[in-house]
Amino acid sequence: MTPDMSDVTRAKHGRPVHHWRRDVVELAALFTAVAVADGVANLIGHGPDGPALLVISAALLAATAGFHTWWARRHGHAPPTSDTDARPPSEGRTGALSGKGTAASAPLPGEEATVLLRMRTTVEDAPGSLAALCTALAQRQVDILSLQTHPLADGTVDEFLLRAPADLPATEITRSVARAGGSATWIERADAHDLVDAPTRVLGLATRTALDASELPLALRQLLGRCTIRSLPATSPVSGRATEGAPVEGALEDTVMRLRAPEGGVITVERPYLPFTPTEFARARALVELDARLGPRVPRGQDMLTLPEGNAITVQRADVSDVEAAKAMHERCSPRTLSMRYHGPVGDADRYLNHLLSPRFGRTLAVRTASGRIVGLGHLLWDGDETEVALLVEDDWQRRGIGNELLGRLVAMAVEAGCESVYAVTQASNTGMVAAMRGLGLPLDYQIEEGTLVITARLDTAQVTPQAPHARHHGHARHGAAQGTAPGHGTGRN
């Protein structure tokens, strides 16, 4: 407490303290005011110019009040900034834990432009090591928005979400962190999505995985950042040989983790630029275990469409339970259609179906007639860092717009999944597939090798409205020249 604090809030020995000098001054001021008021009343009531003085006094008071109101409205009541001790908002938050703010937004007048950064560094597991890092960041005017710690056997990995001045080079931050005891420091730009705290993000990914088995690779990629994910089946769909498995509990080797897939295969995750931590490995394994416990599942909604000829069809997700119906469609397809789709012996076409229809490796859309017969299949296949699209339409249903409809929906799914591009592998003579890819209205790249054509569509400028897999609506399929033949053999480019 300060010496000049009010008597009402100050106490000594449990009782309020009163100053007798202040009481005397207040009484003297009261008697003086009463005497002055009595003198003014006698002057106005008994003097010869009393009424005139009263009118003049009222006019002066009114003029004073009007001038005060005009002055207050024009200049306001806030004191100048220089008269206060307040600091700019960016200084008040420097070096402190905070959960507010936006990513690289336009600064307000007087504020400094900032950017969001993700940083990971390794420090000794000792008291004061984190405090030294925070002090070093504060000296660079860097704000800590969130912090995660990953304990290791010989230290601790600290992962920060930072807000730094836009003109501060990342190398300067790394140098300051190194002087504060940090090693193996990694830093990159972040965005507003990284402001979501880790528990909320993991719960969201678990929910997506629980609703759709094909979301597992996407959830792992969002959980672990920029990484390459490959799924290998327990047995090769071509040779039937067993592939090398992974331990039940999984395996972590620096920048590579191997997880046991629910159906017995292997999920390999690689991130060469940044080693995985045991915490990340545990989170990834928990997602895979959740997927295994829930079993195969896909959303069962369907869209009813009407073709230009008036035929009613439905488009819905398909999985391994539709293998027999897909084999029946193969039997109705001509050898040319199957050879253009699978690029191999026609007799091997059925071998690919278990792999293609498994939600572990991507998403499949099936087109059914009113009787329930499958007449078209569209595949969106996860191929490491890339994504493949593949189509097959029964001969009698080609050139009715089914291929275009499937391709548009697959691209919408790819955009929703955050894919940067999709590619299709076909033959150079397949003009229908080329026309379908061109009909997307996206930037295309063409590569031709020994009669095989690879068409890549870049999705960074895609204006496609993603449709939920379980959405239900009525509409009309687009009418185009796309044939029902499609690229690739369904297992990737190679």
Side-chain angles (χ1 to χ4, degrees):
M1 293 185 181
T2 58
D4 59 346
M5 184 171 290
S6 172
D7 293 340
V8 177
T9 59
R10 185 176 179 184
K12 185 177 182 181
H13 302 298
R15 294 175 296 176
V17 178
H18 298 283
H19 295 288
W20 63 270
R21 290 186 296 273
R22 179 174 298 178
D23 295 340
V24 171
V25 171
E26 291 178 352
L27 288 175
L30 177 62
F31 280 111
T32 302
V34 171
V36 171
D38 182 68
V40 173
N42 290 332
L43 179 62
I44 294 176
H46 302 286
D49 298 326
L53 290 175
L54 184 60
V55 173
I56 293 173
S57 299
L60 289 175
L61 288 175
T64 302
F67 176 77
H68 180 270
T69 301
W70 171 81
W71 183 266
R73 290 181 177 177
R74 180 176 181 180
H75 297 278
H77 297 279
T81 305
S82 59
D83 293 343
T84 66
D85 294 328
R87 293 175 296 178
S90 59
E91 294 181 10
R93 294 193 304 265
T94 299
L97 289 171
S98 171
K100 301 178 181 179
T102 57
S105 58
L108 296 175
E111 288 190 351
E112 186 179 9
T114 59
V115 295
L116 286 180
L117 299 172
R118 289 178 58 209
M119 185 186 74
R120 180 177 289 192
T121 188
T122 303
V123 298
E124 294 184 1
D125 189 7
S129 59
L130 179 59
L133 283 180
C134 295
T135 301
L137 293 173
Q139 292 174 351
R140 288 290 184 176
Q141 304 298 307
V142 177
D143 188 13
I144 302 175
L145 302 180
S146 67
L147 166 66
Q148 297 184 60
T149 59
H150 304 263
L152 302 177
D154 54 351
T156 301
V157 174
D158 291 335
E159 185 172 353
F160 298 88
L161 179 63
L162 307 174
R163 185 188 302 280
D167 56 354
L168 178 62
T171 54
E172 294 296 327
I173 300 178
T174 303
R175 190 175 294 111
S176 298
V177 170
R179 286 196 293 264
S183 60
T185 302
W186 165 84
I187 190 169
E188 71 172 1
R189 290 288 293 268
D191 57 27
H193 296 90
D194 294 307
L195 293 172
V196 180
D197 60 283
T200 302
R201 184 169 65 253
V202 172
L203 286 175
L205 297 177
T207 301
R208 291 176 52 183
T209 303
L211 295 175
D212 189 349
S214 67
E215 290 285 340
L216 179 60
L218 304 178
L220 289 174
R221 182 170 296 173
Q222 292 191 17
L223 176 66
L224 303 173
R226 292 184 291 110
C227 58
T228 300
I229 300 176
R230 291 185 172 87
S231 298
L232 297 178
T235 58
S236 172
V238 179
S239 64
R241 298 177 182 177
T243 58
E244 182 181 359
V248 177
E249 67 278 5
L252 174 61
E253 302 173 359
D254 199 23
T255 61
V256 179
M257 68 170 69
R258 299 169 66 242
L259 304 167
R260 174 69 67 89
E263 69 282 357
V266 180
I267 300 175
T268 303
V269 186
E270 300 180 14
R271 191 174 64 187
Y273 67 93
L274 186 65
F276 294 111
T277 65
T279 302
E280 292 177 313
F281 177 66
R283 291 172 179 172
R285 189 171 59 183
L287 271 181
V288 175
E289 291 177 355
L290 171 65
D291 182 75
R293 287 180 177 273
L294 294 176
R297 64 212 174 276
V298 295
R300 285 301 181 185
Q302 63 182 18
D303 294 346
M304 299 186 64
L305 307 174
T306 302
L307 297 177
E309 291 83 359
N311 304 95
I313 61 172
T314 59
V315 182
Q316 63 183 130
R317 290 281 300 277
D319 59 8
V320 291
S321 63
D322 299 301
V323 168
E324 295 303 322
K327 288 182 178 179
M329 185 188 70
H330 279 179
E331 295 177 358
R332 297 189 297 270
C333 291
S334 66
R336 181 178 182 275
T337 294
L338 293 177
S339 64
M340 293 186 70
R341 165 62 183 89
Y342 294 107
H343 309 294
V346 175
D348 294 338
D350 290 350
R351 296 184 181 182
Y352 300 115
L353 289 177
N354 281 308
H355 178 84
L356 293 175
L357 295 176
S358 173
R360 313 295 182 190
F361 306 104
R363 299 175 181 174
T364 297
L365 292 177
V367 176
R368 296 178 182 269
T369 63
S371 62
R373 187 177 63 181
I374 293 181
V375 296
L377 289 173
H379 306 285
L380 186 69
L381 302 168
W382 317 132
D383 183 19
D385 292 334
E386 300 176 317
T387 306
E388 181 184 2
V389 290
L391 304 176
L392 176 64
V393 178
E394 189 178 322
D395 294 65
D396 293 340
W397 291 82
Q398 294 178 10
R399 298 187 180 276
R400 301 190 185 187
I402 293 178
N404 283 341
E405 182 67 25
L406 285 174
L407 186 58
R409 290 171 178 266
L410 294 175
V411 170
M413 288 182 177
V415 172
E416 184 182 20
C419 302
E420 296 180 357
S421 64
V422 295
Y423 71 89
V425 181
T426 186
Q427 298 180 13
S429 60
N430 191 351
T431 57
M433 189 63 197
V434 175
M437 293 293 289
R438 293 180 61 184
L440 294 173
L442 299 174
L444 300 178
D445 295 329
Y446 300 88
Q447 294 182 1
I448 301 179
E449 296 181 3
E450 299 180 356
T452 300
L453 174 63
V454 180
I455 308 175
T456 303
R458 298 193 302 274
L459 306 181
D460 51 354
T461 58
Q463 299 294 327
V464 182
T465 302
Q467 299 181 6
H470 56 275
R472 298 172 182 263
H473 71 276
H474 296 272
H476 295 277
R478 290 170 293 176
H479 180 65
Q483 297 186 22
T485 53
H489 50 67
T491 58
R493 230 181 259 198
N494 298 322

